[in-house]
Amino acid sequence: MNHSTTDRKFANTLARGLKVLGVFRASDDGLTHAQIAERTALPKPTISRLTYTLCELGFLTQASRNDRFHLGPAAIALGSVATISATFIDLISDAMQELANETGTLGLIAVRDTMRMMLVKTWRPEGTASIWLEPGHRIPLFGSSSGQATLAAMSDDKFAGLAPNPALVDFRQDGYAQLIAQGFTIAPRPTRYARTVNAVGVPFFASEFGAPVAISCGALPEVLTDARMVEEVGPALREVVRELEHRTGQAPALTRRG
């Protein structure tokens, strides 16, 4: 949805500044102007103005003129407050780490970021050497199990705001049917955004966000086969989320769709 042409109250400059902050990942050793421009798809002159302003406000830091940009103390403080406010993350953390260890999969929480899903928390299986996704990484809304779980639990009016195409409508409807039948979603094979990742997702309504988030487990297809997703990992993940709903007093996310 293009807010700049549909909503006169929308502050484009603010949105661009937040977009700059949102491209930093935990594994980044700072970012150059060129890297920020590439990740945001914004013009380099715009990036220069935004990074200057964000540095002045403490949201970015740069040791010297030609050094890479890092998230500054203001951004770190804001992120810490947000993490503390999302109490459900602490409540599920031990169970997700245990599930990651038992299944050899990456446990994660992902939130919708326009037409993508952004990872905000991950749990790596202990004793497993591999390359894993990390907080700040984004995956497609369409084609990911996390995206499908979120879409399936999203209210009809919020979904309509995405200006969905027929493929996205079908993807959401398939996710809804899966949640009704088995309590978790697995992106249909023809739609999966990457052949190197298999994942299963369960939605959870985060009252702190006022929206459903996806709680998922994923791994390489040879580790997490379709059979394992259906018979083992999916049911185990579903039970972890149900326990979280019980502890937080939240109704299943799907019941809020309307």
Side-chain angles (χ1 to χ4, degrees):
M1 184 175 181
N2 188 350
H3 288 279
S4 62
T5 59
T6 61
D7 191 346
R8 296 178 63 184
K9 296 181 180 179
F10 191 78
N12 282 296
T13 301
L14 174 60
R16 290 173 177 175
L18 294 174
K19 191 173 185 179
V20 168
L21 295 176
V23 301
F24 285 82
R25 301 169 187 167
S27 62
D28 290 331
D29 184 20
L31 295 176
T32 64
H33 267 130
Q35 290 172 319
I36 295 173
E38 181 181 1
R39 291 188 184 183
T40 59
L42 293 173
K44 289 184 180 179
T46 300
I47 295 297
S48 294
R49 293 193 298 272
L50 292 172
T51 54
Y52 173 81
T53 302
L54 291 168
C55 283
E56 289 295 301
L57 295 174
F59 286 95
L60 291 180
T61 60
Q62 188 182 31
S64 64
R65 183 173 180 178
N66 295 321
D67 282 348
R68 293 169 177 258
F69 293 93
H70 294 81
L71 289 177
I76 295 171
L78 188 62
S80 297
V81 171
T83 300
I84 293 171
S85 299
T87 55
F88 75 92
I89 296 178
D90 283 339
L91 291 176
I92 200 176
S93 188
D94 288 345
M96 287 300 294
Q97 184 62 64
E98 183 177 349
L99 182 60
N101 293 342
E102 291 177 350
T103 60
T105 64
L106 178 74
L108 63 91
I109 295 176
V111 301
R112 187 175 69 86
D113 177 19
T114 59
M115 295 302 291
R116 297 180 296 176
M117 297 295 294
M118 181 176 71
L119 279 57
V120 297
K121 177 68 176 179
T122 61
W123 294 269
R124 298 185 183 189
E126 297 175 354
T128 301
S130 184
I131 298 174
W132 300 97
L133 304 181
E134 59 194 6
H137 188 90
R138 288 166 172 79
I139 59 178
L141 182 67
F142 178 78
S144 68
S145 297
S146 292
Q148 189 173 39
T150 300
L151 288 170
M154 186 184 296
S155 66
D156 291 340
D157 61 331
K158 289 289 187 182
F159 181 68
L162 300 179
N165 56 35
L168 195 65
V169 171
D170 290 344
F171 188 64
R172 181 188 188 224
Q173 290 176 341
D174 178 80
Y176 181 80
Q178 288 192 59
L179 289 177
I180 292 296
Q182 61 192 13
F184 52 87
T185 63
I186 300 171
R189 186 173 292 277
T191 68
R192 292 179 195 172
Y193 76 96
R195 295 182 179 180
T196 56
V197 177
N198 277 355
V200 55
V202 178
F204 171 75
F205 186 84
S207 59
E208 297 93 337
F209 303 157
V213 302
I215 301 176
S216 306
C217 287
L220 297 173
E222 55 265 33
V223 174
L224 186 58
T225 63
D226 283 30
R228 280 197 74 207
M229 287 192 287
V230 172
E231 300 168 7
E232 176 192 349
V233 180
L237 179 64
R238 179 188 62 210
E239 295 310 308
V240 168
V241 176
R242 284 181 175 173
E243 176 61 22
L244 176 64
E245 290 168 346
H246 176 73
R247 295 182 66 183
T248 58
Q250 291 286 350
L254 205 60
T255 65
R256 296 175 177 270
R257 174 177 161 170

